[in-house]
Amino acid sequence: MDEQMPPGERAPDASERPGSLPARGPGDVGTSFDVDPDTASPACRAVFAQAAERVPEEWEIEGPAFSISLGDAADLDPVLLAAMTGPDGLGGEALGPQFGKDRSVDALRPGPVLAALTEQAVAGTAVLNDDQLMGALQAARRMENRACWQQAVLTAEFARRRQAQLADAIARKVPRGCRPGEFPDDELASELLITANQAGHRISADLDLTSRLPRTLAGMAAGVISADRADVIASYTAALTDEQAACADGVLAEAAPGLRYDQLARKAAALEMKLDPEAVKARKEHARAARQRVEARREMSGNASLAGRELATADAMASKAHIDALAARLRRAGLDGTLDQLRALVFTDVTQGRDPLDRITPAPAPAPPPPGPPAPLLALINLIVPAGTLLGWSTAPAQAAGFGLLDADETRDLVAAASRNPRTRWCATIVGTDGTAIAHGCAPGQHPHDSHDSHDPQSPEPPPPQTPESPKPPPGTGPRGTPGRDRGDPGPDAAQAAQAAQLRDLLRRLNITPEPIARGTCDHRHAEDRYTPSRTLKHLIRARTATCSAPGCGAQAIHSDLDHATPYPHGPTCECNLHPACRRHHRTKQAPGWNAEQPQPGIIRWTTPAGRTYTTTPTVYDT
């Protein structure tokens, strides 16, 4: 019911009601504050005129609309939140510094806030310095990785729905070809415009990521694991049991953010070999039997390639070594071309029935080699072989520079073949519990090796390689009722003692005396008063760091320069000042704005022209 006003009184207008502001018309600035512009001071009149004539900034009218929830704001750095909400926040220039290395945005999880900040940075790249530009690039990459996580979750849900439909149709005995959910790969391929094979791979990988690889999936959601790295992990764990896959998931998800794609692939392949070597061996044998071929392809440039596919590793390496040796002979004879071009020349000559050496002087055709094991490998290949694999009590994979990983059988065959060449030399690197090198030594002269002679006849036979699937003896079967101990099992202590005896015997027969590698601090015991390091010092540096020390570079240290972090003679020729750098990164380090320093032996801190720093550490060997 409306309240009646007393006679003779008027109702107050809106501007006179409690809590309201006085009414004002357009441009009526003074009356809003009960100030008469005509009687105001000149200073006040100037303020009023400036306020009335102010034109809003463009960003105030068309700037990005953005809202932030309390949940999003709860875990924001206060400095970042203040910068965002301040007068120079979104749309201004206050946020640029937050993209600097180790600043707030570097640790910001992917989500609406990071998306808005990244959009703002992309819209105003001109105001970012180099450091901030790299930070914005990393932020965009984290958002991309999270978007791939979203796609993986959605694809897996789609695949599970089709699997349920198919299972139901099979239970109802629906004829093949008429079953709902029977062709999910074709359905996904139509949506994503990819091949059915690619879609099938996408479905398999995403189902594994969302069911068996939770650590990897979480890394994608956090923006630190990219889609291609997640695919590598899914691929190399596909043949493992759920228990083995869980183990691999933990190891690989932790390593993935700091490894390049190919480095992660090697680590994943090595882990698969250790967890289930028989499955890896069976897959290789099946591929060699079913898909071995010689393949000719058109290159993107318009040229062609010719390759043998699914070959035995020993055969491929022996063939490559033979081509390398012939190319080297042609080069020494003065033929024009780079070594790679001469290798290609040798390859086409050999595969077309010509003798490449006829390009030097005609020579009688040599007698064909007798059938048998692979030819002795020329000493042009660097093999890294775990001692346990060589001696038969480990399945840890070996590595061949330029070829990748080798399983235990391949390793022993290649070592036997390489040892028959008089130019082959043996070196031993001893690694610590963290997988890094702690000592290194080289054997003088030639040492033929036979894997059957590896075991000391006076020592008990080492135990067979163990895998997570190896059965354990039932309780109570040990001698004198000792649980878990079989009469024929010497026990872990005896097995370790036997392995140690084998290693000592191997080093004794090779006449190797390992030299310690500097770690943490350097006592300069291997320092040399000259620019070019000796063979011993070169080996110590390259055993400590097996690849170029630049971030992300995988060039083999054996083919890299040894760079003085502090130029000689101001810096010593010593373990604490030398590091391997491929020729490209050796030159890069000397360019303006670049630097590489070595605060501790093997710890290399690279600085780029953007002012950002990246630290690399000694090689961690798979053992």
Side-chain angles (χ1 to χ4, degrees), residues 359-407:
R359 296 177 179 274
I360 305 173
T361 53
L377 296 179
L378 295 174
L380 301 174
I381 300 171
N382 190 39
L383 298 175
I384 300 176
V385 183
T389 304
L390 180 67
L391 297 173
W393 39 261
S394 172
T395 59
Q399 298 181 50
F403 290 87
L405 300 174
L406 310 170
D407 64 28

Side-chain angles (χ1 to χ4, degrees), residues 172 281 287 320 349 376 382 477 499 512 544:
R172 291 187 288 108
K281 182 178 180 180
K320 178 63 165 56
D349 277 350
N382 190 39
T477 58
Q499 294 169 4
I512 292 177
R544 181 186 69 195

Side-chain angles (χ1 to χ4, degrees), residues 417-613:
S419 68
R420 293 199 299 271
N421 190 282
R423 292 175 57 193
T424 296
R425 293 296 179 266
W426 291 73
C427 295
T429 300
I430 300 173
V431 301
T433 55
D434 61 353
T436 61
I438 60 175
H440 180 84
C442 296
Q446 183 186 10
H447 293 270
H449 173 77
D450 185 347
S451 60
H452 298 295
D453 295 335
S454 298
H455 305 304
D456 185 343
Q458 302 301 320
S459 301
E461 282 292 307
Q466 297 295 307
T467 69
E469 297 296 315
S470 301
K472 297 180 180 180
T477 58
R480 296 186 179 92
T482 304
R485 176 67 60 84
D486 188 15
R487 290 182 182 275
D489 180 8
D493 293 339
Q496 290 177 4
Q499 294 169 4
Q502 284 184 285
L503 287 174
R504 287 194 299 271
D505 180 64
L506 176 63
L507 294 177
R508 178 187 57 77
R509 288 188 287 111
L510 293 175
N511 194 21
I512 292 177
T513 302
E515 289 285 335
I517 293 175
R519 293 155 56 93
T521 58
C522 184
D523 58 9
H524 310 296
R525 72 171 64 191
H526 298 117
E528 299 173 348
D529 188 19
R530 59 181 183 176
Y531 175 78
T532 303
S534 65
R535 180 175 182 268
T536 297
L537 184 53
K538 287 178 180 179
H539 275 236
L540 291 174
I541 301 301
R542 288 167 172 157
R544 181 186 69 195
T545 307
T547 60
C548 171
S549 69
C553 185
Q556 294 293 309
I558 191 70
H559 302 303
S560 298
D561 300 333
L562 290 184
D563 173 57
H564 291 77
T566 301
Y568 183 86
H570 303 291
T573 299
C574 185
E575 293 174 84
C576 58
N577 194 43
L578 290 172
H579 66 106
C582 68
R583 183 58 54 87
R584 177 183 179 85
H585 283 112
H586 194 171
R587 291 172 176 167
T588 299
K589 177 226 174 185
Q590 300 173 37
W594 286 87
N595 188 37
E597 53 186 338
Q598 190 166 185
Q600 296 180 34
I603 307 295
I604 313 299
R605 185 163 56 229
W606 287 77
T607 303
T608 70
R612 298 174 79 89
T613 59

